[in-house]
Amino acid sequence: AFNKVDYTKEAVSTLKQTTDRGDYHLILVNDASTDQTEQYMYQLDNDHSINCLGVLLQDNGGWCKAVNEGMKHTGAEFVLICNNDIHFQEGWLNAMLKPFEDPAVGAVGPTSNYVSGLQSVAHNLPTIDTEEVKFLIGFFIVVRRSILEQIKIGADQYLDERFSPGGSDDLDLSLRIQDAGFKLMIAR
């Protein structure tokens, strides 16, 4: 997160409301924010209703660097990479993990009212729960950790930092996942 602490608070609030504490481990990366984000992270450290680790970066290196830094702190089987301006919905976790029952699925993203293309809610069809796509927009992507390890760049770049401060890193990640032989899915 870089600034916008109110977005971060709202995202964490909806995560807590919709997800059992034992089902996730939140890694919140503060990308050298100058607002109240650091103080909020200290509050979360003392909040026993959430399983959270705060990572404080001294310099703002951009989205890709922040994600890569956060990835160093998890060994989870599935990793959610997301922005701080999201709202978790009831049932989100099951919806995102269900497509992974197919071992050929490498990453899953949701629909949203604030994106274009096939991930827009305008494309939701009542008879389709999932759809294979060629690209996932990076506001919210669940990826198998084993695939991230397989496609990383060098020792510790899961997102290519050449795209920092951010932009087209999601396209690059989508292409690397597909080049490794895995599918990208939208879960509705």
Side-chain angles (χ1 to χ4, degrees):
F2 177 72
N3 290 332
K4 307 291 186 191
V5 69
D6 291 337
Y7 289 174
T8 303
K9 287 179 178 180
E10 183 66 22
V12 170
S13 175
T14 61
L15 175 67
K16 289 169 61 173
Q17 292 168 22
T18 61
T19 316
D20 290 336
R21 181 184 183 279
D23 289 343
Y24 67 90
H25 181 193
L26 174 65
I27 298 172
L28 181 60
V29 180
N30 179 355
D31 199 10
S33 296
T34 56
D35 64 359
Q36 299 298 310
T37 299
E38 185 174 352
Q39 289 81 358
Y40 179 61
M41 288 173 65
Y42 290 129
Q43 289 175 8
L44 289 176
D45 281 343
N46 295 314
D47 182 346
H48 299 293
S49 69
I50 188 167
N51 188 8
C52 180
L53 170 69
V55 177
L56 178 63
L57 302 181
Q58 297 302 313
D59 298 307
N60 183 323
W63 167 253
C64 298
K65 187 167 183 59
V67 168
N68 289 336
E69 189 62 36
M71 290 292 294
K72 293 177 185 176
H73 299 278
T74 183
E77 180 181 2
F78 298 100
V79 177
L80 166 61
I81 301 169
C82 66
N83 294 346
N84 66 340
D85 61 346
I86 60 167
H87 289 190
F88 291 90
Q89 302 295 318
E90 200 65 48
W92 76 271
L93 185 57
N94 288 336
M96 292 296 106
L97 293 181
K98 185 163 181 47
F100 288 107
E101 291 173 2
D102 177 353
V105 171
V108 178
T111 57
S112 173
N113 62 343
Y114 202 68
V115 297
S116 60
L118 292 175
Q119 281 184 261
S120 170
V121 294
H123 293 282
N124 282 357
L125 300 172
T127 58
I128 298 176
D129 291 334
T130 59
E131 180 178 0
E132 185 174 356
V133 293
K134 295 182 179 183
F135 174 78
L136 288 172
I137 298 172
F139 74 99
F140 189 113
I141 299 176
V142 179
V143 187
R144 282 185 202 275
R145 176 63 187 234
S146 60
I147 294 170
L148 285 170
E149 292 299 328
Q150 183 179 336
I151 66 169
K152 70 182 176 182
I153 301 164
D156 61 358
Q157 280 196 39
Y158 302 94
L159 295 186
D160 190 335
E161 292 179 13
R162 293 178 295 181
F163 293 105
S164 283
S168 297
D169 52 278
D170 47 6
L171 173 59
D172 175 68
L173 181 63
S174 293
L175 291 173
R176 287 189 286 131
I177 290 170
Q178 289 176 71
D179 286 348
F182 296 96
K183 297 189 289 188
L184 305 173
M185 303 295 290
I186 295 174
R188 295 190 162 86

